[in-house]
Amino acid sequence: MAYSVPDLPYDYAALEPHIDEQTMRVHHDKHHQAYVDKANAALEGTEWADKDVDDVLRNLDQLPDDIRTAVRNNAGGHSNHSFFWQIMSPDGGGEPDGDLRSAIDDAFGSFDSFKDEFKTAGVNRFGSGWSWLVHDGSGLAVVSTANQDSPVSDGQTPLLGVDVWEHAYYLKYQNKRPDYIDAWWNVVNWPEVASRFSAAG
Ligand code: MN
């Protein structure tokens, strides 16, 4: 079955004031839809058309040469954005607890050190991309990807990610990407991140 854009699990305005309604409308309805449409067009008629998007992203090297870049960009965009809507919540923010918190403290020294590293990766991503907290098979790590590249393609499991493309913040924050990331912590859905951590561990 062809990919489709999942409904947001909350209203477009639910992440206000941190993420504004207009940004959410354009981001979800226009940008994510475009990734889905282009991924479907690239995969149509191939054996990969009915595969789970992350299975496709794990096997980019097996795709036909003439569609590999389009799939990498657009199936990546579909996977990344489907993930992104889930790891935000109007009830978000605060700090993680339990096993996830312990793992973050062990890997980064403290929660604040983790936040600094994650933010720095996002701020320093030149051009468009993402900053991620991933499980790399042995433990937690902060990584950054360009464009719509997914950590899944590198064998990593994304646990948390922030979209630092200008379309994610420009209407409200203009050029101030650091301010956007600072505000974004207020909508992080830590229970969802913890659930993904449990599944990855
Ligand atoms: Mn985006």
Side-chain angles (χ1 to χ4, degrees), residues 90-114:
D91 303 316
E95 301 186 2
D97 55 15
D99 290 345
L100 173 60
R101 177 55 178 267
S102 300
I104 288 174
D105 289 346
D106 286 349
F108 302 100
S110 69
F111 182 61
D112 284 344
S113 295
F114 156 69

Side-chain angles (χ1 to χ4, degrees), residues 138-183:
S138 57
L140 299 182
V142 166
V143 299
S144 170
T145 60
N147 304 313
Q148 295 298 351
D149 288 353
S150 166
V152 168
S153 298
D154 293 325
Q156 301 163 338
T157 303
L159 305 177
L160 179 67
V162 65
D163 185 345
V164 298
W165 284 58
E166 285 185 346
H167 69 225
Y169 62 87
Y170 207 83
L171 293 179
K172 181 176 175 73
Y173 296 95
Q174 291 82 49
N175 60 314
K176 298 184 285 290
R177 188 188 289 183
D179 291 0
Y180 155 67
I181 298 175
D182 286 343

Side-chain angles (χ1 to χ4, degrees), residues 27 31-32 35 77 81 84-85 129-130 148 163-165 167-168:
H27 201 176
H31 289 280
H32 191 166
Y35 295 126
H81 287 83
F84 190 53
W85 314 133
W130 294 72
Q148 295 298 351
D163 185 345
V164 298
W165 284 58
H167 69 225

Side-chain angles (χ1 to χ4, degrees), residues 52 54-55 57-58 79-80 83 87 100 108 114 118 131-145 149-162 192-201:
D52 176 82
D54 286 351
D55 283 343
L57 294 172
R58 269 187 283 272
S79 174
N80 291 342
F83 172 91
I87 54 87
L100 173 60
F108 302 100
F114 156 69
F118 183 94
S131 177
W132 304 94
L133 173 67
V134 300
H135 195 293
D136 64 9
S138 57
L140 299 182
V142 166
V143 299
S144 170
T145 60
D149 288 353
S150 166
V152 168
S153 298
D154 293 325
Q156 301 163 338
T157 303
L159 305 177
L160 179 67
V162 65
E192 178 67 22
V193 179
S195 166
R196 290 169 185 271
F197 172 67
S198 295

Side-chain angles (χ1 to χ4, degrees), residues 43-63:
L43 291 166
E44 186 177 9
T46 75
E47 62 181 305
W48 298 92
D50 293 324
K51 298 259 177 30
D52 176 82
V53 66
D54 286 351
D55 283 343
V56 174
L57 294 172
R58 269 187 283 272
N59 294 285
L60 289 175
D61 57 337
Q62 296 182 37
L63 292 168

